[in-house]
Amino acid sequence: MSDQEKNAPYLDKRSSRRTFIKNSGLTVGGVVLGGALGSLLSKDSTTQTHETGVHTTATAVNFNQALMYFDKTQFDTIDAAAEQIFPKTEVGPGAKELLVAFYIDHQLAGSWGLNSKEYMSGPFYPAEATPLFGHQTHLNRQQIFNLGIEALNSEAAKQYKAKFSEITAEEQVAILQAFEAGEVTLNGAVTSTYFFSLLKSATIEGAYADPLYGGNKDMAGWKMKNFPGHQMSYANIIEKDEFVKIEPTSLNSQHKH
């Protein structure tokens, strides 16, 4: 990979899931149409609940869909931003349907959000002065996300007189591109570029982590990649020459026997 390719901003890159930059210079975001409604309409009203030992399978209930850190406005902001980073396409669902915002919420509520397992004392040096040390700040991830969300809504209000979650997908992407490029000033010791990088990483993690953590609903992220998840053994296929597609299983499968 060339140095130019390595340094290309994430939102400027073409991918199989989204072309962020169109010939016109504008970006068209993915819009989820009928996802939740379609799933409700397609469900059989006679769906039964089956008991399997220590578990009860209730298809209509997902107890991970509960906020542990965000308030409603913060959640809606991250939900909208994550969808522009990981949009719904013909290949599969986007961040909204995968419940990525719940994953990010749950991570922020724990040790990841508090940086409790990391050295957080000074001295701190500007990233431009010591790039090998990476971005340095006394702020934990909870505080960085608070500032980032505040700035996303502030930019949306300034440019479009609305909350970030209420503006169009194209307008959301334009703001996110400005964040990625470091063109937005946050009210704290952190850059918009660093906030965007945290948001991007957490979004991708939420799409592909085990559903145990709140995202990757119905293992749909794995299914898009033909990733098998947590299998007990591959002994019966290890010597096969052709690719074998396996229905993925999550960590909770260890209880279903």
Side-chain angles (χ1 to χ4, degrees), residues 160-171:
Y160 309 108
K161 296 184 175 15
K163 295 178 181 178
F164 183 85
S165 60
E166 297 170 344
I167 61 180
T168 68
E170 291 87 352
E171 293 165 346

Side-chain angles (χ1 to χ4, degrees), residues 69-70 78 82 99-109 112 145 199 202-203 206 213:
Y69 179 74
F70 290 142
I78 292 300
L99 306 183
V100 165
F102 284 103
Y103 168 85
I104 297 174
D105 169 81
H106 296 179
Q107 292 300 304
L108 286 172
W112 185 80
F145 266 82
L199 175 60
T203 296
Y213 300 102

Side-chain angles (χ1 to χ4, degrees), residues 215-237:
N216 191 13
K217 183 173 182 282
D218 299 327
M219 297 176 286
W222 291 348
K223 291 173 183 176
M224 283 189 283
K225 297 288 188 180
N226 287 323
F227 179 69
H230 303 277
Q231 300 291 328
M232 182 67 70
S233 171
Y234 297 96
N236 59 329
I237 63 169

Side-chain angles (χ1 to χ4, degrees), residues 56 84 125 135 161 192 202 222 245-246:
T56 298
Q84 300 314 320
Y125 298 96
H135 189 88
K161 296 184 175 15
S192 62
W222 291 348
K245 186 175 180 179
I246 304 174

